[in-house]
Amino acid sequence: MLTTGGAMVLKNPQLQSEAVTDAYRAGRLRQEYRAPQAMTGRVAGYLLAALGLPVGAVGAMLADKQPRSLTPTPTPHPDDQGRLVITGDDLQAELQTRIADLLYANDWLRACLKSNAVIICGDMGSGKTTIAAAIALLRELLWGWETAILDPHADDNLETWLNGRVFGAESLASKTPDYQIADAWGQYRQRSQAHRSLVLDEFSSWGVGGEKSVLGSLTPDVMKHGTADARKFLHHVIYLVHGEENGMLGGTHVNSGWQVKLKTKAVGIRLVADYDDWGEPKFTGKAEFKPAGKDWTDANFQPFAIPGLLKPGALKAQLGTALEWLEIGIDSDPCGEQLLDPKLKQAIEAELTQSFDDPALIQRLENIAQGPVIGHPIDGTAASEPMVDWQVVKGRPDAVALVAYLKRKKMAEVDPRKLQQNWGRNQGLKAEDIQELLDLLTAIGAGHWLTDASAQPKIWELRISPDHLPDL
């Protein structure tokens, strides 16, 4: 259309053979000559050319495969009872389709997902943690890969990480971040039966204390693992560093040959940060990409733009509900300690003592004792279900929300750690809050602990069928 319009604009009667002949004759006789004009064709040409511009723009937009969001919208289908439902498989399939579109439009991201080593380099605030979190999450959504995150500053990044076990947060374990990471590296460095992601945040700082420091003593093995063992161990390691010089990869005490080898083998991502008027770093979405197997030189880095749906906070906003449904999130108790603050423990014990001294509760317990439950209602073998005073729960919005969640998920047995990871963190609840809620339900006879206080993991079980839980 654009070409045709341009041709019509340029075409003019004076260029035709008859017009040229008349002009030539007038020139020979030195007579005045007025060339004929055909304005209709010229106007039509301008119109066609003008229409060609928006049509071309629309074509360019249709050719762009970049998805604008990963938020899934699966189509409900009828179940055995004719009700329209959406299953976890439906949600997973829809997410995988959208991720496939994202990877089709972003070669750099596709290379990162499959590579055994990725180095993400950039200044503070450039988005290193955000991109690493996205890579780890997409791997789990596509292929179910386990994720371990070793982050000395994990307490500052807990809102950024989206899945996996996070080591290095003092709020989640009793050990210091360095010793958490050292223990985790010893555990996850071993050969695995399935692919797993290992994210090493702030790796530039690991070797600052030299080989005598806790983390510095690990870096030579971490570097060697990335270049020699990761592929055969089914490991996919992501290194987050602030600079490109060799000392930034594990410290100056690490063999420089290993550092050069890793930088060549790995997929390289350079992120560009910017700063506002107050000197605070901000995400720009600008980056450069180096394929695996290429030397770490400027000539091998090509610029690209990070999609808006991967900017800080975007994935959590788009996928928060879906991740909760699929029970994907960060493990709030990576070391399996189930920490409970002493003051909070004292307060809970006082509350439980007061609750058990309540005459109404004592009477309820006596009623239960006089009419014991034979078997278990979940197995269909119980002669009756215990009497539960749900009035106690109605005064606690968090307890009401938990009962609704157990009923919706049809959960008979509860692992407190997984409950906090998959439901509690979205409610703003910590491990100790989950423990207190389950103790409350235990106190009113709705459930009981299957394991003693020292057992790990602790398991809690409903004493009534989830289908019989009330709508509070």
Side-chain angles (χ1 to χ4, degrees):
M1 185 181 291
L2 186 61
T3 303
T4 302
M8 293 181 69
V9 171
L10 294 175
K11 185 177 181 182
N12 218 2
Q14 66 263 32
L15 301 181
Q16 301 176 13
S17 58
E18 184 178 349
V20 172
T21 301
D22 291 343
Y24 176 74
R25 183 182 298 110
R28 287 287 303 268
L29 299 176
R30 299 185 180 276
Q31 295 176 348
E32 181 180 354
Y33 175 75
R34 185 181 298 275
Q37 299 292 320
M39 297 305 296
T40 302
R42 177 170 294 189
V43 171
Y46 281 126
L47 290 175
L48 285 173
L51 287 173
L53 293 176
V55 170
V58 171
M61 292 178 62
L62 292 176
D64 182 14
K65 285 284 293 181
Q66 191 76 262
R68 299 294 181 253
S69 172
L70 292 183
T71 303
T73 55
T75 303
H77 63 271
D79 62 7
D80 296 338
Q81 300 178 358
R83 298 173 300 182
L84 291 178
V85 298
I86 296 175
T87 66
D89 291 340
D90 297 330
L91 200 62
Q92 188 91 10
E94 172 73 10
L95 273 173
Q96 290 175 348
T97 298
R98 290 179 177 265
I99 294 171
D101 290 339
L102 177 66
L103 298 182
Y104 178 81
N106 295 275
D107 293 341
W108 67 273
L109 185 57
R110 186 166 63 251
C112 288
L113 291 192
K114 298 304 292 282
S115 178
N116 292 106
V118 177
I119 298 175
I120 303 178
C121 175
D123 294 335
M124 181 183 66
S126 58
K128 298 186 300 297
T129 302
T130 297
I131 299 304
I135 293 172
L137 176 63
L138 295 180
R139 284 171 173 173
E140 179 168 353
L141 289 173
L142 284 174
W143 307 305
W145 292 3
E146 179 187 13
T147 299
I149 299 166
L150 282 57
D151 180 3
H153 301 154
D155 283 307
D156 298 328
N157 296 326
L158 287 179
E159 292 300 316
T160 303
W161 299 121
L162 301 170
N163 66 309
R165 301 179 69 184
V166 181
F167 298 91
E170 292 184 287
S171 60
L172 300 182
S174 59
K175 293 183 178 180
T176 64
D178 288 2
Y179 283 100
Q180 287 185 50
I181 291 172
D183 291 346
W185 177 252
Q187 173 186 350
Y188 282 94
R189 192 243 186 272
Q190 307 304 315
R191 185 189 302 268
S192 57
Q193 299 300 315
H195 292 270
R196 64 171 46 146
S197 296
L198 303 178
V199 184
L200 313 179
D201 200 3
E202 297 291 339
F203 191 63
S204 297
S205 66
W206 285 32
V208 170
E211 57 186 340
K212 293 184 178 180
S213 66
V214 175
L215 295 184
S217 65
L218 302 177
T219 55
D221 182 55
V222 173
M223 293 294 298
K224 178 178 179 295
H225 185 75
T227 56
D229 299 331
R231 184 184 61 82
K232 59 186 177 182
F233 281 21
L234 303 182
H235 293 171
H236 301 262
V237 190
I238 304 175
Y239 301 83
L240 277 63
V241 297
H242 289 296
E244 303 179 27
E245 57 271 22
N246 286 342
M248 287 292 182
L249 277 171
T252 55
H253 63 287
V254 177
N255 184 290
S256 60
W258 284 111
Q259 300 187 47
V260 172
K261 187 175 181 180
L262 178 62
K263 290 164 69 175
T264 300
K265 178 180 180 179
V267 167
I269 300 292
R270 288 172 171 170
L271 300 176
V272 180
D274 197 1
Y275 295 85
D276 60 21
D277 294 339
W278 301 95
E280 294 293 328
K282 60 182 181 179
F283 178 80
T284 65
K286 300 176 182 178
E288 294 179 342
F289 163 70
K290 178 195 78 70
K294 299 287 187 179
D295 291 339
W296 193 283
T297 60
D298 292 343
N300 289 326
F301 278 89
Q302 300 299 321
F304 70 93
I306 298 172
L309 55 82
L310 296 183
K311 68 181 181 180
L315 278 184
K316 178 174 287 189
Q318 297 169 36
L319 302 181
T321 302
L323 295 180
E324 179 183 352
W325 182 270
L326 295 173
E327 299 186 350
I328 293 176
I330 63 170
D331 188 342
S332 62
D333 187 24
C335 300
E337 297 177 334
Q338 282 289 342
L339 292 180
L340 191 62
D341 183 83
K343 293 183 179 179
L344 181 59
K345 182 178 180 181
Q346 183 179 1
I348 292 174
E349 290 176 348
E351 180 66 24
L352 290 176
T353 300
Q354 181 178 359
S355 299
F356 278 109
D357 286 342
D358 180 35
L361 176 59
I362 294 174
Q363 182 61 50
R364 289 196 302 274
L365 294 175
E366 289 179 353
N367 292 339
I368 294 173
Q370 292 172 3
V373 175
I374 302 172
H376 197 281
I378 298 170
D379 301 326
T381 60
S384 62
E385 291 188 343
M387 297 175 59
V388 179
D389 184 4
W390 295 107
Q391 291 298 126
V392 177
V393 176
K394 288 183 177 181
R396 292 282 302 274
D398 50 354
V400 171
L402 175 57
V403 171
Y405 180 81
L406 297 179
K407 183 175 183 178
R408 176 166 62 88
K409 289 291 189 178
K410 298 184 182 299
M411 294 179 64
E413 289 188 1
V414 175
D415 182 335
R417 289 189 302 168
K418 292 184 178 179
L419 180 63
Q420 195 282 331
Q421 174 184 339
N422 300 325
W423 172 79
R425 70 185 184 91
N426 294 308
Q427 306 291 325
L429 301 176
K430 298 182 179 179
E432 54 265 25
D433 301 319
I434 298 297
Q435 174 87 21
E436 191 266 340
L437 286 175
L438 294 177
D439 285 339
L440 174 62
L441 295 181
T442 301
I444 65 173
H448 64 110
W449 293 100
L450 293 179
T451 54
D452 59 35
S454 61
Q456 294 294 341
K458 298 176 68 175
I459 301 298
W460 186 88
E461 182 185 56
L462 277 171
R463 298 185 71 241
I464 61 177
S465 170
D467 292 332
H468 295 171
L469 290 172
D471 294 322
L472 302 173

